[in-house]
Amino acid sequence: MKSDTYIKRSNRPLQFYAVLFLIVLYVPVLFLPLFSFNDSIYVSFPLKGFTFQWYLELLDREPVWASLMNSIKVAVTTSIIATGFGIFAAKAITRYRLPGRGPVVGFIMLPLVVPGIILGVALLVLISQLGIRLSLYTVTAGHVIVCLPFAIATLIPRFEGFDKSVEEASADLGENAWWTFWRVTFPIVFPGILASLLLTFTVSFDEFIMAFFLSGTDATLPIYIWGQLRFPQAFPSILAMASIILVVSFILVFLGQWINRDAQSESLESTKNT
Amino acid sequence: MTQDNAFISIRHVNKFFGSFQAIKNVSMDIGHGEFFSLLGPSGCGKTTLLRMLAGFEAVSSGEIYIDGQPMSGVAPHHRPVNMVFQNYAIFPHLNVRDNIAYGLRKLKLSRSNRNEMVDEMLELIKLPEYGDRKATQLSGGQRQRIALARALILKPKVLLLDEPLGALDKKLREQMQLELRALQRTVGITFVFVTHDQEEALTLSDRIAVMSEGRDLQVDTPTRLYENPVNSEVASFIGTMNFFDGVVTSIKGDTVVIKVDGLGEVSAPAGKVSLLAGDSVSVAIRPEKFSLTDEKPDDVQYCVKGHLDNAAYLGERSHYYVRVEGVSQPVAVSAQNRNRTGEAEDRKRPVWLGWDSAAVVVLKDD
Ligand SMILES: Nc1ncnc2c1ncn2[C@@H]1O[C@H](COP(=O)(O)OP(=O)(O)O)[C@@H](O)[C@H]1O
Ligand SMILES: [Mg+2]
């Protein structure tokens, strides 16, 4: 559409920058699916031919499926726990007049900026001090800590986006805090909860460093893949696996954003209409 | 109104937000079935008082009784009151029917019974076709009615309304005022109505509490508030008022004689204020209580000569501003245009102001 307002007019350098940005970001990633269809065990140009062989080979590799199941178990548990905690944290942060709200939020967001390797070592020290055996449970605990900031960051805009007087209206119409949460708060923030579940699932599923430090004998998928890199003949099917994960992750994150897309616009609309 | 038959009784209530005192020693009684308004400028504490009645804010000291029960420590969902919020607070995820039926869950009604009650309410608020609409798709006036229906379906003893008509345009607001008043008569529930619009309060209310800066200035019927304000703050907040300075010269029974700057010796009903000779007082006269004539009038008790300063023609009446020697502000006069023709009027002519002693209100401010 032709539009000549100052803000909307097209800007060549900016468009060029955007395209370049996307290329740098995604082209390396696109090599994964490309070579996963290549009929050669060596990852190098020129490409040899097209094959589904590596994908078929995946089907026969027991340990791949075992570690995939481990990862799914950990990711499902992590996403539920992190989102559950996230709901209460987001509600507390947005609803109650907390003294020192800023520092509290900053503290919760800390795992985003603390290098994973430090967090991983710290947790490993703690867990071995407590005498707990490393297992998928310890991996899950580490993942919850890593995922909590993502959950809260996804949920806070949802909680901020709706007018707290609807919760008061519910209390006024006779419902206690529990029923008010289930009948009003929960349905209104539900898209945010779904988005948080999808996002934390993806983060946990791909997570390597925590899993590396905290897993015992049962490997998660990233750990298994890491282990297989030593064997060249296994590599192409790892590429195939990675391609599948890439596509599924992309779909999940995209779905989450799409479900939660109206968090902002809806809150704008409700203020506009009153 | 005595405390015995009061339905809501507010006793010496104070409210602090930190060190800021939003409500200052407010006491008032509201009768059963009354249409009671809280009137005052924005920020005077009307919403705060209403929210304390609903239970969303705790009183800092004092006590609120509803139907004889002290309300301290009673949660909002246990109070026999329902509220219509300033922004309506319609549930955005529910349709109109479910919004209205929201409070019925605890009554454990059968489905058909429930539908019947909702249909009745939709009928009452004149939106029978709108049950399945999404609540967010409705106009301001329609949402306001849904907020009303949602509260009324629970048959509360008291309905609290926080500037429910504030967001509507003038035409719709006037229509809703009439409907609200009719509705209150039909359902017979006590209404506590918050507004900053004095005209709205005068039109709707049985009684009005005028508030300012957290205090209740006067609680009275609309006519008494207008005709017998207790102090100059109430007098100037409700309608327009001319104020003159004066000194009491003598008191005879119910009549007080005052020497008023610019108007001379004037007698007036003493009213409720206790006065002594020599007291300085404010004398207040409403603009419509003056007569304005070109010749010296002979049908009024008092008159004074002045000079027309300005005039505004408003159709059914005109506003005049008259300069009188010895009075600092021009005197506002409102006159019906009963004998007015299309001819232009001289807006700078000498005129006579006339008034009767009954029109004079004596105020003593501390
Ligand atoms: N939760 C609160 N915290 C601090 N101050 C408040 C709070 N609620 C209201 N106030 C203050 O109390 C005063 C009265 O507010 P309010 O009752 O909303 O006035 P009104 O409804 O008459 O416009 C205002 O000065 C307002 O800033
Ligand atoms: Mg208010």
Side-chain angles (χ1 to χ4, degrees):
Chain A
M1 203 188 298
K2 191 93 179 142
S3 161
D4 40 12
T5 65
Y6 180 74
I7 297 292
K8 293 241 179 94
R9 77 198 163 140
S10 58
N11 180 329
R12 287 264 162 230
L14 207 58
Q15 284 171 351
F16 177 73
Y17 170 76
V19 170
L20 192 71
F21 182 86
L22 289 176
I23 289 173
V24 170
L25 196 63
Y26 283 110
V27 164
V29 174
L30 290 178
F31 279 108
L32 288 182
L34 185 69
F35 283 108
S36 73
F37 293 109
N38 187 23
D39 195 3
S40 157
I41 67 164
Y42 301 107
V43 178
S44 65
F45 287 107
L47 298 172
K48 290 283 178 348
F50 184 83
T51 177
F52 276 118
Q53 181 190 349
W54 311 120
Y55 286 86
L56 292 173
E57 199 173 283
L58 264 184
L59 292 174
D60 300 331
R61 294 175 58 173
E62 257 334 295
V64 172
W65 296 107
S67 60
L68 178 66
M69 281 321 291
N70 287 343
S71 270
I72 289 176
K73 273 189 242 165
V74 169
V76 167
T77 318
T78 299
S79 65
I80 291 171
I81 295 174
T83 302
F85 281 144
I87 290 170
F88 293 110
K91 178 154 169 73
I93 288 167
T94 53
R95 281 293 174 270
Y96 305 112
R97 267 163 279 166
L98 288 180
R101 178 188 150 162
V104 168
V105 175
F107 195 68
I108 294 174
M109 294 299 169
L110 213 55
L112 280 182
V113 290
V114 171
I117 198 151
I118 291 177
L119 212 56
V121 170
L123 278 175
L124 183 60
V125 169
L126 179 72
I127 283 170
S128 50
Q129 285 297 311
L130 292 174
I132 298 170
R133 255 190 47 230
L134 295 180
S135 64
L136 289 182
Y137 293 107
T138 52
V139 176
T140 306
H143 281 188
V144 167
I145 291 171
V146 172
C147 288
L148 207 50
F150 291 97
I152 290 171
T154 313
L155 288 164
I156 278 183
R158 265 285 157 183
F159 276 89
E160 274 175 348
F162 81 95
D163 178 8
K164 82 173 191 314
S165 66
V166 295
E167 289 178 321
E168 287 185 342
S170 167
D172 187 66
L173 295 169
E175 295 293 20
N176 60 24
W178 174 251
W179 277 100
T180 294
F181 180 80
W182 283 113
R183 295 190 69 192
V184 176
T185 316
F186 185 76
I188 294 177
V189 299
F190 185 67
I193 291 174
L194 266 189
S196 164
L197 284 173
L198 291 174
L199 183 64
T200 50
F201 178 91
T202 319
V203 170
S204 162
F205 191 81
D206 295 346
E207 208 283 336
F208 176 76
I209 300 175
M210 285 288 157
F212 183 76
F213 280 104
L214 300 177
S215 59
T217 47
D218 295 322
T220 62
L221 193 60
I223 298 295
Y224 174 77
I225 291 173
W226 166 252
Q228 293 302 300
L229 292 181
R230 278 172 293 164
F231 311 113
Q233 70 275 24
F235 194 66
S237 62
I238 295 299
L239 284 182
M241 188 80 215
S243 307
I244 295 173
I245 293 171
L246 189 69
V247 171
V248 172
S249 299
F250 183 77
I251 291 174
L252 287 186
V253 171
F254 182 77
L255 207 62
Q257 296 298 317
W258 184 75
I259 288 168
N260 206 25
R261 71 194 179 282
D262 50 8
Q264 215 60 35
S265 55
E266 206 162 82
S267 66
L268 278 179
E269 204 168 317
S270 68
T271 47
K272 191 180 64 196
N273 285 344
T274 50
Chain B
M1 185 102 10
T2 64
Q3 203 184 331
D4 303 334
N5 64 7
F7 186 64
I8 300 174
S9 187
I10 299 171
R11 297 280 120 225
H12 306 291
V13 165
N14 288 291
K15 175 71 188 177
F16 289 89
F17 292 111
S19 61
F20 174 74
Q21 189 169 9
I23 297 290
K24 296 164 185 159
N25 194 23
V26 165
S27 293
M28 55 185 78
D29 293 313
I30 301 170
H32 206 289
E34 231 186 339
F35 197 122
F36 189 91
S37 292
L38 298 173
L39 173 65
S42 184
C44 72
K46 309 178 295 286
T47 298
T48 305
L49 192 56
L50 205 68
R51 287 172 60 82
M52 289 194 291
L53 287 173
F56 296 126
E57 304 281 356
V59 297
S60 301
S61 68
E63 184 61 276
I64 292 172
Y65 300 86
I66 298 177
D67 208 5
Q69 302 298 314
M71 285 291 127
S72 292
V74 179
H77 61 277
H78 288 135
R79 296 196 181 198
V81 304
N82 283 124
M83 182 144 162
V84 175
F85 288 79
Q86 194 157 6
N87 60 359
Y88 313 141
I90 298 295
F91 302 120
H93 57 297
L94 300 178
N95 67 16
V96 172
R97 291 194 80 84
D98 292 341
N99 259 283
I100 294 176
Y102 188 87
L104 297 179
R105 180 188 68 84
K106 288 218 239 164
L107 304 184
K108 304 258 188 297
L109 300 170
S110 70
R111 180 177 289 266
S112 65
N113 218 328
R114 217 168 83 146
N115 283 337
E116 211 172 290
M117 284 177 78
V118 175
D119 286 336
E120 243 170 64
M121 274 298 147
L122 284 168
E123 205 66 54
L124 185 72
I125 59 169
K126 305 195 179 84
L127 293 175
E129 312 292 318
Y130 285 76
D132 299 321
R133 288 279 196 98
K134 232 181 137 145
T136 43
Q137 295 165 350
L138 302 179
S139 72
Q142 290 167 333
R143 287 187 208 205
Q144 197 261 350
R145 291 176 213 215
I146 291 159
L148 261 175
R150 185 175 73 177
L152 287 175
I153 200 168
L154 300 177
K155 308 201 164 50
K157 292 174 176 169
V158 182
L159 190 66
L160 309 172
L161 303 104
D162 192 357
E163 309 211 13
L165 309 180
L168 309 181
D169 58 65
K170 188 162 183 286
K171 197 113 191 198
L172 190 56
R173 190 160 71 225
E174 281 166 3
Q175 182 197 338
M176 288 304 297
Q177 283 174 2
L178 293 178
E179 287 184 16
L180 211 54
R181 183 72 231 216
L183 189 71
Q184 195 260 343
R185 296 224 170 92
T186 323
V187 295
I189 295 172
T190 308
F191 273 34
V192 181
F193 183 91
V194 163
T195 180
H196 64 263
D197 181 342
Q198 43 128 339
E199 213 168 298
E200 187 167 283
L202 292 176
T203 321
L204 289 173
S205 320
D206 293 318
R207 285 191 315 143
I208 300 171
V210 180
M211 294 180 61
S212 169
E213 292 176 2
R215 263 180 265 275
D216 55 325
L217 301 178
Q218 184 173 3
V219 182
D220 234 324
T221 60
T223 27
R224 287 193 56 82
L225 276 179
Y226 190 80
E227 305 289 347
N228 304 89
V230 295
N231 60 28
S232 52
E233 212 174 340
V234 176
S236 54
F237 188 67
I238 311 240
T240 316
M241 187 65 107
N242 294 299
F243 293 102
F244 307 90
D245 295 328
V247 178
V248 177
T249 51
S250 68
I251 302 161
K252 289 187 206 88
D254 276 348
T255 311
V256 54
V257 180
I258 301 162
K259 187 166 180 346
V260 183
D261 297 352
L263 302 187
E265 292 249 319
V266 171
S267 76
K272 281 185 200 154
V273 262
S274 55
L275 296 167
L276 294 171
D279 281 350
S280 19
V281 290
S282 271
V283 166
I285 305 177
R286 293 279 181 201
E288 71 279 7
K289 307 281 182 184
F290 283 112
S291 68
L292 189 82
T293 47
D294 290 344
E295 308 298 330
K296 184 169 181 184
D298 48 13
D299 56 345
V300 291
Q301 285 173 285
Y302 300 97
C303 63
V304 68
K305 202 167 159 68
H307 208 92
L308 205 56
D309 191 42
N310 208 343
Y313 175 72
L314 299 176
E316 88 270 24
R317 71 207 132 84
S318 293
H319 285 174
Y320 297 97
Y321 298 91
V322 181
R323 287 242 170 245
V324 176
E325 205 166 317
V327 181
S328 54
Q329 294 289 322
V331 179
V333 178
S334 163
Q336 296 293 319
N337 289 328
R338 198 177 331 145
N339 299 323
R340 188 73 183 261
T341 61
E343 271 169 52
E345 173 180 37
D346 176 10
R347 295 187 169 181
K348 299 277 179 197
R349 63 186 194 272
V351 287
W352 285 85
L353 280 181
W355 70 96
D356 290 324
S357 123
V360 180
V361 181
V362 184
L363 301 170
K364 191 164 175 239
D365 293 327
D366 10 62

